[in-house]
């Protein structure tokens, strides 16, 4: 059975940069990616220095191309299924029918966006429905915006979205009671509130054109900001990783999870989701993981040479 120092699960920005760092750190690495990436529906990726506006598949292609310089890094398009923990590491079953051994697991699996059950929502997610104004707000600034609020707290974000367009209507889709103070604030800021249920979103040439309400009223809008619910990939549950109150994997400063030897980075660990943030977290976690592996080997060599247990030091993951 093939043995690796690290199996990385997920080939988005988090996993790719972790692979680059571990590769440069001379570790034997297997990166597995099942796809599709979370931002598959996006036409361009913005806000990543030196790559602003790049199509997401091109970003991945360049990253994978650059990994080819490191023969110690292998990339496979396959799903990581069952993971069995044993002394010294993990046995990892892959979707291609093979199994591999790994000393550590680095998870960068992203999350699953659960599409809302509104006709047209899924089709327009990506080209016209956006989660993050920093990612896509600039390109559509000053257009007729809709913001779909899922709870009263979300209404606090309306003035932020208004930064990108003064022509903003907030829709509650009839899902909650708007607190009086929120209503007053939106009114004062000139942000209309629409509380009827949405029947459908209508597109034209692949872009949002109208929001249709339950009574048939149609409101012209070309952009919608909405944060659909997110869920973790199955492997998170299988590994029994502890989650925080918002449902993200609970991690320490360098990605350490509740399961020893398993580190998590990127979207799966935080609602502050951006490609460069995931790449950064992958970098930090990979460097710390590499240090831990190097020191583990040094301790083993020390014991072999001296016959004594290695002196204790501050623990890395
Ligand atoms: C529509 C949309 C547009 C966006 N636009 C931008 C933008 O313009 N700029 C920006 O900075 N951010 C943007 N984001 C956010 C950005 O895409 C994420 O923050 C970033 O991709 C997170 O990287 P990641 O490595 O954590 O996970 P991901 O990029 O989601 O990668 C995770 C990968 O792991 C794979 N995977 C999951 N489970 C397994 C398994 N068991 N085995 C193998 N592989 C598995 C997934 O298939 C996926 O390919 C956008 C998000 C969306 C949804």
């Amino acid at each position: 059975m093939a043995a690796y120092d690290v199996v990385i699960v997920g080939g988005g920005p988090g996993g790719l940069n972790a692979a680059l760092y571990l590769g440069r750190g001379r570790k034997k690495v297997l990166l597995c990616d099942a796809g599709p990436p979370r931002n598959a529906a996006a036409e361009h990726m913005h806000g990543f220095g030196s790559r602003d506006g790049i199509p997401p598949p091109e970003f991945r292609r360049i990253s994978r191309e650059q990994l080819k310089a490191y023969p110690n890094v292998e990339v496979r398009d396959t799903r990581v299924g069952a993971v069995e923990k044993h002394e010294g590491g993990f046995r990892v079953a892959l979707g291609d029918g093979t199994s591999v051994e790994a000393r550590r697991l680095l998870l960068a699996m992203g999350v699953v966006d659960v599409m809302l059950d509104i006709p047209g929502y899924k089709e327009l997610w990506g080209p016209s429905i956006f989660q993050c104004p920093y990612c896509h707000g600039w390109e559509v600034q000053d257009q007729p915006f809709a913001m779909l609020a899922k709870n009263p707290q979300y209404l606090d974000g309306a003035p932020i979205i208004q930064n990108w367009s003064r022509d903003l209507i907030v829709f509650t889709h009839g899902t909650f009671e708007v607190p009086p103070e929120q209503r007053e604030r939106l009114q004062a800021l000139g942000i209309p509130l629409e509380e009827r249920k949405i029947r459908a979103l209508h597109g034209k040439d692949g872009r949002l054109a109208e929001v249709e309400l339950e009574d048939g009223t149609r409101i012209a809008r070309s952009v919608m900001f909405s944060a659909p619910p997110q869920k973790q990939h199955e492997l998170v549950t299988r590994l029994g990783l502890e989650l925080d109150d918002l449902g993200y994997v609970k991690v320490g400063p360098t990605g350490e999870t509740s399961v020893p030897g398993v580190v998590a980075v990127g979207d799966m660990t935080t609602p502050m989701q951006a490609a460069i943030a995931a790449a950064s977290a992958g970098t930090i976690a990979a460097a710390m993981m590499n240090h831990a592996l190097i020191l583990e080997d040094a301790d083993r060599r020390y014991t072999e040479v001296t016959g004594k247990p290695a002196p204790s030091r501050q623990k890395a993951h």
Side-chain angles (χ1 to χ4, degrees):
M1 194 181 300
Y4 297 87
D5 291 308
V6 183
V7 167
I8 298 175
V9 190
L16 286 164
N17 231 74
L20 184 59
Y21 250 60
L22 284 162
R24 294 182 61 77
R26 307 189 71 193
K27 287 296 157 293
K28 192 163 187 261
V29 176
L30 174 64
L31 181 148
C32 298
D33 186 61
R38 200 187 139 220
N39 58 0
E43 292 162 354
H44 301 101
M45 185 176 103
H46 290 281
F48 197 116
S50 86
R51 292 286 179 269
D52 192 35
I54 194 170
E58 182 61 2
F59 174 86
R60 288 185 172 219
R61 189 196 64 73
I62 295 170
S63 299
R64 282 186 177 213
E65 190 61 34
Q66 293 187 340
L67 285 176
K68 286 183 184 158
Y70 306 92
N72 47 327
V73 177
E74 191 185 330
V75 177
R76 287 198 218 170
D77 288 311
T78 187
R79 179 167 297 281
V80 169
V83 173
E84 214 180 287
K85 194 165 167 43
H86 58 75
E87 210 190 320
F90 303 87
R91 180 160 301 127
V92 183
L94 306 179
D96 61 13
T98 61
S99 288
V100 299
E101 292 282 342
R103 293 168 70 187
R104 297 283 199 281
L105 282 186
L106 194 151
L107 308 179
M109 297 190 290
V111 286
V112 179
D113 294 299
V114 182
M115 295 292 98
L116 299 186
D117 192 17
I118 299 174
Y121 188 95
K122 187 169 174 230
E123 293 72 17
L124 293 163
W125 170 254
S128 288
I129 304 179
F130 308 120
Q131 187 179 7
C132 151
Y134 292 95
C135 299
H136 304 286
W138 176 265
E139 286 67 32
V140 294
Q141 58 188 296
D142 298 327
Q143 292 186 21
F145 276 19
M147 188 185 109
L148 185 53
K150 54 185 175 186
N151 55 41
Q153 293 75 39
Y154 206 78
L155 294 174
D156 292 341
I160 295 172
I161 298 298
Q162 199 186 29
N163 174 67
W164 280 269
S165 176
R166 283 298 177 113
D167 183 0
L168 169 67
I169 301 175
V170 170
F171 295 78
T172 65
H173 189 34
T175 44
F176 60 92
E177 276 294 314
V178 179
E181 62 279 8
Q182 296 270 35
R183 193 181 294 281
E184 197 187 327
R185 190 153 74 108
L186 292 176
Q187 207 168 12
L189 294 173
I191 303 175
L193 188 57
E194 181 48 72
E195 294 171 79
R196 284 171 282 184
K197 263 198 159 343
I198 296 172
R199 182 189 285 167
L201 302 175
H202 298 286
K204 190 167 179 247
D205 302 327
R207 308 272 175 210
L208 178 64
E210 289 177 326
V211 179
E212 184 184 346
L213 302 175
E214 57 188 343
D215 62 2
T217 306
R218 289 183 174 226
I219 301 174
R221 297 287 92 187
S222 53
V223 170
M224 176 176 269
F225 281 90
S226 163
Q230 298 189 322
K231 64 175 189 187
Q232 293 288 346
H233 283 280
E234 210 188 336
L235 188 55
V236 171
T237 319
R238 281 207 215 152
L239 283 164
L241 301 182
E242 202 180 318
L243 304 181
D244 65 18
D245 294 343
L246 296 173
Y248 297 99
V249 174
K250 220 174 181 173
V251 288
T254 58
E256 54 276 31
T257 69
S258 56
V259 175
V262 179
V263 158
V265 301
D267 284 6
M268 62 188 293
T269 67
T270 173
M272 302 298 291
Q273 299 169 346
I276 201 158
S280 163
T283 302
I284 293 166
M288 291 304 112
M289 183 178 275
N290 197 37
H291 293 179
L293 288 167
I294 293 167
L295 295 175
E296 201 172 284
D297 291 342
D299 284 353
R300 206 188 48 247
R301 288 204 320 273
Y302 176 91
T303 302
E304 277 164 15
V305 171
T306 65
K308 295 189 292 190
S312 63
R313 71 164 83 80
Q314 282 209 319
K315 219 171 155 31
H317 57 66

